Amino acid sequence: MKVILAGFGTIGQGIVKILKAKDNFIKKKFDEGFEIVGVSDSKGAVYDSRGLDLDLLLKIKHEKGTIKSYPDAKILDSNRDLIDEDADVLIEVTPTDIRKNSVGMSNLLRAFKTGKHVVTSNKAPLALNFKGLKKEAIKNGCLFYYDATVGGATPIISTAREILDSVNIESFQGILNGTCNYILSRMTEEEAPFDLILREAQQLGYAEADPTYDVDGIDTACKLVILANSIMEANATFKDVKVKGIREITEDAIKLAKRDGKVIKLIGEIDCKKLEVSPRLVPEGHLLDVSGNFNVGLFRTDFAGEIAVGGIGAGQMETASTIFRNLIKILRSKHGIRGMA
Amino acid sequence: MKVILAGFGTIGQGIVKILKAKDNFIKKKFDEGFEIVGVSDSKGAVYDSRGLDLDLLLKIKHEKGTIKSYPDAKILDSNRDLIDEDADVLIEVTPTDIRKNSVGMSNLLRAFKTGKHVVTSNKAPLALNFKGLKKEAIKNGCLFYYDATVGGATPIISTAREILDSVNIESFQGILNGTCNYILSRMTEEEAPFDLILREAQQLGYAEADPTYDVDGIDTACKLVILANSIMEANATFKDVKVKGIREITEDAIKLAKRDGKVIKLIGEIDCKKLEVSPRLVPEGHLLDVSGNFNVGLFRTDFAGEIAVGGIGAGQMETASTIFRNLIKILRSKHGIRGMA
């Protein structure tokens, strides 16, 4: 199966590493593997219908900072030209960008127009126009998987769709941003103020230099929109979410909560199709009480009660493992193979 | 699809309630529903190939204590006679019994011999002879689902098999017994001794009059065996598990742990095919730190890191919802339908 990889940053390189590591696993299961035929990064794109060498891709990227100097491949000027080349699947992992005409949005639409299945971790296009993208995918007979947009390695979307498909999901609450959860957990452990812990998180690489996107709840809101649309049949976009971040959480608030056997968490909630992101009190030992950079999704169902799924919310190999899972689903579809069980 | 229900206690009645509630959901999805054609309880069995009335079954059981007086149905003397009747699926939910020639074991084997698919919540037969049962199922071309043997509503087996099938599960830890978890959580909250909290749990119906099976770790060990065999390709039986229960946990031990930011939990662990049940220290906020009667399963994987799934570990409707999920899988198989996603 021929694959084009748009975006060759942390996640893109993680995918190549997993494809290398899982080569035998795939071929044993399907008598067919994945062939990366095209790759783009911010500097350019290369394509070779015979397949690119995975080790060489990683080496050139590492040494030169771009895959443009990959030898003997067709050099292309744009993602659009790359996506127009022959392939079965586009993996879209360019940096997420909340603007309407982002690279990610154009890539996804072009892939569907040219009949390619899509696997993506790119949140923003889905938070802006989930319905439109889904429609394009269906119109062109393409599979469209985006599990990696929410939760990193945490299988929140797939648990809802594959495990909870025989019950009714009545509401959802989740911790969907590892940076905020890390900051709140550290504030609780250290009884230290927000600014201090934010600086610590920035030094450790757990928070961006500009932390707005995370700490003001925007990232959580984007993920909530994707969840509402994909698992609860809402028709929501980013502007439908009521959002409050964690900047105003004080040491005192955390101490008071602790005295009462509670912790403060940034919770994204979907209830009766109302979407809200806000700091909430959670009892210690509750299914939502996970600390550090973990994510968790909690579904309230009609007959199964509360079901929670937790895992690592970001990270190169963790997010890439979810992309890989979706790739395997595409192979399964092609071969008409159902799950193992 | 014709279904025989062996066992009409709490879980069996829960299944009938769900089948009633989900009737429209099923028919909308599959153009075909489930028909209960036979039911047994400890007093006897009834069968009618045209289907039994669900409301009447519940009413008669409630009023008379047994389904034997169901009107105009064929009365049968034994589970064996019932299972020999015509049907597509056996739901086996008789009380679990760790002896070799238990009713459950005979029922499962008879169902496979007569070509019936099986859905069960009955742990003991699987903990004693998983391999043998699996072999019989395969030999006779029968589907065999037992998700409800582990975790109640918590989808531990299905997460491993359906969600984590593209990664490698390297080890497993879980809280698999709600009674122990309730007792340990209450001991932590109240700083009270084991005996006192056990009596409280017995009064509230969370622990049996004879609590051995739960508090000595036997129940957790049975579940661990099923997990090791079904998701990690072990060939284990009950006697392979090293087991230590929670009777010796003192208030002081719990207080000391708490001072150190930890809680004591009864953990079942599978690592390098070694199976062990024992009380362990777990950091507060850890994915395994769930309190009350919740269960949790934590998988350590090669690329997805740690993935946890938590939910309610027992209960009528919760366990029945997992049986129902397995029934839906059988319908999907018959119709060649894959998951929603």
Side-chain angles (χ1 to χ4, degrees):
Chain A
M1 199 164 243
K2 290 181 178 183
V3 176
I4 289 173
L5 181 58
F8 202 50
T10 314
I11 307 297
Q13 292 172 60
I15 293 160
V16 169
K17 287 177 192 169
I18 290 198
L19 287 177
K20 271 181 51 174
K22 292 282 188 185
D23 193 45
N24 280 336
F25 164 87
I26 304 165
K27 288 191 176 138
K28 221 172 89 182
K29 257 195 159 150
F30 300 100
D31 288 326
E32 176 185 24
F34 296 103
E35 195 110 53
I36 301 270
V37 291
V39 176
S40 73
D41 60 23
S42 58
K43 308 259 170 51
V46 293
Y47 179 85
D48 187 333
S49 65
R50 296 162 305 173
L52 301 166
D53 182 82
L54 302 186
D55 284 310
L56 195 54
L57 276 174
L58 291 171
K59 186 167 174 270
I60 287 173
K61 180 73 180 175
H62 181 70
E63 285 172 3
K64 314 265 165 121
T66 168
I67 41 75
K68 260 184 83 174
S69 50
Y70 187 97
D72 302 326
K74 188 165 166 184
I75 310 270
L76 297 156
D77 285 334
S78 67
N79 274 298
R80 183 176 169 137
D81 288 346
L82 175 63
I83 294 166
D84 282 349
E85 295 285 343
D86 178 50
D88 303 298
V89 181
L90 173 72
I91 302 178
E92 217 295 328
V93 288
T94 62
T96 205
D97 176 347
I98 200 83
R99 284 168 300 180
K100 276 233 162 91
N101 299 314
S102 67
V103 171
M105 185 73 92
S106 319
N107 287 349
L108 296 176
L109 290 171
R110 195 72 201 162
F112 294 138
K113 279 241 156 36
T114 57
K116 292 176 181 68
H117 305 307
V118 167
V119 178
T120 188
S121 62
N122 200 339
K123 282 179 291 291
L126 280 85
L128 287 172
N129 190 13
F130 184 90
K131 211 181 160 184
L133 287 165
K134 194 90 194 182
K135 218 173 120 185
E136 278 302 303
I138 292 167
K139 202 176 92 184
N140 295 286
C142 302
L143 297 168
F144 181 26
Y145 293 126
Y146 41 81
D147 295 28
T149 56
V150 179
T154 318
I156 296 177
I157 290 177
S158 46
T159 295
R161 301 182 70 168
E162 292 162 50
I163 305 282
L164 302 180
D165 61 344
S166 59
V167 295
N168 189 29
I169 297 171
E170 293 173 341
S171 66
F172 171 87
Q173 287 188 310
I175 296 174
L176 303 174
N177 182 275
T179 305
C180 287
N181 205 45
Y182 174 84
I183 292 172
L184 292 172
S185 299
R186 290 289 296 154
M187 285 175 73
T188 307
E189 283 162 29
E190 302 294 323
E191 304 199 341
F194 174 79
D195 293 328
L196 188 81
I197 299 291
L198 173 60
R199 276 200 299 281
E200 179 197 277
Q202 285 167 327
Q203 278 155 14
L204 290 169
Y206 291 163
E208 306 283 337
D210 175 3
T212 308
Y213 194 68
D214 292 318
V215 302
D216 290 339
I218 301 165
D219 175 68
T220 301
C222 285
K223 291 167 178 168
L224 212 55
V225 168
I226 296 171
L227 280 174
N229 290 332
S230 61
I231 69 176
M232 292 172 93
E233 289 168 32
N235 180 17
T237 68
F238 181 72
K239 62 179 173 23
D240 299 317
V241 193
K242 196 173 151 192
V243 188
K244 191 175 161 56
I246 63 166
R247 279 189 206 268
E248 287 163 32
I249 306 288
T250 62
E251 292 167 76
D252 282 347
I254 285 182
K255 264 189 230 170
L256 269 171
K258 208 174 181 176
R259 218 169 294 159
D260 205 24
K262 296 205 169 72
V263 288
I264 298 180
K265 297 286 180 192
L266 185 68
I267 301 292
E269 182 174 55
I270 311 170
D271 198 3
C272 299
K273 299 195 179 168
K274 259 179 30 201
L275 282 69
E276 184 172 351
V277 177
S278 63
R280 299 280 183 93
L281 288 170
V282 170
E284 287 174 3
H286 189 274
L287 292 175
L288 284 170
D289 173 21
V290 301
S291 61
N293 59 352
F294 283 100
N295 280 13
V296 62
L298 175 66
F299 304 94
R300 289 200 175 79
T301 71
D302 52 354
F303 289 114
E306 296 186 329
I307 304 269
V309 58
I312 296 172
Q316 180 184 43
M317 299 315 286
E318 290 82 359
T319 305
S321 79
T322 301
I323 302 259
F324 177 68
R325 179 174 141 61
N326 284 167
L327 284 174
I328 293 290
K329 284 188 75 165
I330 291 177
L331 257 193
R332 275 195 209 290
S333 285
K334 188 179 162 190
H335 293 251
I337 299 168
R338 306 175 65 255
M340 269 174 65
Chain B
M1 201 164 240
K2 290 182 179 183
V3 177
I4 289 172
L5 180 58
F8 202 49
T10 314
I11 307 298
Q13 291 172 60
I15 293 160
V16 168
K17 287 178 192 168
I18 290 198
L19 287 177
K20 270 181 53 174
K22 293 281 188 186
D23 193 46
N24 280 336
F25 164 88
I26 303 165
K27 288 192 177 138
K28 223 173 87 184
K29 256 193 160 151
F30 299 101
D31 288 327
E32 176 184 26
F34 296 103
E35 194 110 54
I36 302 270
V37 292
V39 176
S40 72
D41 60 22
S42 59
K43 307 261 172 49
V46 292
Y47 179 85
D48 187 334
S49 64
R50 297 161 305 171
L52 302 165
D53 182 82
L54 302 185
D55 284 310
L56 195 54
L57 276 174
L58 292 170
K59 186 166 174 269
I60 287 173
K61 179 74 180 177
H62 181 72
E63 285 172 2
K64 314 264 166 119
T66 168
I67 40 74
K68 259 184 83 173
S69 52
Y70 187 97
D72 302 325
K74 190 167 166 182
I75 309 271
L76 297 155
D77 285 333
S78 68
N79 274 296
R80 181 173 171 141
D81 289 345
L82 175 63
I83 294 168
D84 282 348
E85 295 285 343
D86 178 51
D88 304 296
V89 182
L90 172 72
I91 302 178
E92 216 297 327
V93 289
T94 62
T96 205
D97 177 346
I98 201 80
R99 285 168 301 180
K100 276 232 161 92
N101 298 313
S102 68
V103 172
M105 185 72 93
S106 318
N107 286 349
L108 296 176
L109 290 171
R110 196 71 201 163
F112 294 138
K113 280 241 155 39
T114 57
K116 291 178 182 68
H117 305 307
V118 167
V119 177
T120 187
S121 62
N122 200 339
K123 282 180 290 291
L126 280 85
L128 286 172
N129 190 15
F130 184 90
K131 212 182 160 184
L133 287 165
K134 194 88 194 183
K135 217 172 119 185
E136 278 302 303
I138 292 167
K139 201 177 92 184
N140 295 286
C142 302
L143 296 168
F144 181 26
Y145 292 126
Y146 41 81
D147 295 28
T149 56
V150 179
T154 318
I156 296 178
I157 290 177
S158 46
T159 295
R161 301 181 70 168
E162 291 162 48
I163 305 281
L164 302 179
D165 60 344
S166 60
V167 294
N168 190 28
I169 297 171
E170 293 174 340
S171 65
F172 171 87
Q173 288 189 308
I175 296 174
L176 303 174
N177 183 276
T179 304
C180 287
N181 206 44
Y182 174 84
I183 291 172
L184 292 172
S185 299
R186 289 289 295 155
M187 284 175 74
T188 307
E189 283 162 28
E190 301 295 323
E191 305 198 340
F194 175 80
D195 292 329
L196 188 79
I197 299 292
L198 172 61
R199 276 200 301 280
E200 180 197 274
Q202 286 169 326
Q203 277 156 15
L204 289 168
Y206 291 162
E208 305 283 336
D210 175 4
T212 308
Y213 193 68
D214 292 316
V215 302
D216 290 339
I218 301 165
D219 175 67
T220 302
C222 284
K223 291 168 178 167
L224 211 55
V225 167
I226 296 171
L227 281 173
N229 290 332
S230 61
I231 69 177
M232 294 173 89
E233 289 167 30
N235 180 18
T237 68
F238 181 72
K239 63 178 174 20
D240 299 316
V241 193
K242 196 173 151 193
V243 189
K244 190 173 161 56
I246 63 165
R247 278 189 207 267
E248 286 163 32
I249 307 288
T250 62
E251 291 168 76
D252 281 347
I254 284 181
K255 266 189 230 171
L256 270 171
K258 207 173 180 176
R259 219 170 292 161
D260 205 24
K262 297 206 168 73
V263 287
I264 298 179
K265 296 287 179 191
L266 185 69
I267 301 292
E269 182 173 55
I270 310 169
D271 197 3
C272 299
K273 299 196 179 168
K274 257 177 35 198
L275 283 68
E276 185 173 350
V277 177
S278 62
R280 299 279 184 92
L281 287 170
V282 170
E284 286 175 3
H286 188 275
L287 292 174
L288 284 171
D289 173 21
V290 301
S291 61
N293 59 351
F294 283 100
N295 279 195
V296 62
L298 175 67
F299 304 95
R300 290 200 174 78
T301 71
D302 52 354
F303 288 114
E306 296 187 329
I307 306 268
V309 58
I312 296 173
Q316 179 184 44
M317 298 316 285
E318 290 82 0
T319 304
S321 80
T322 301
I323 302 260
F324 178 68
R325 178 173 141 63
N326 283 168
L327 284 174
I328 292 291
K329 285 188 75 165
I330 291 176
L331 257 193
R332 276 196 208 290
S333 284
K334 188 180 162 187
H335 291 252
I337 299 168
R338 306 176 62 255
M340 268 174 68

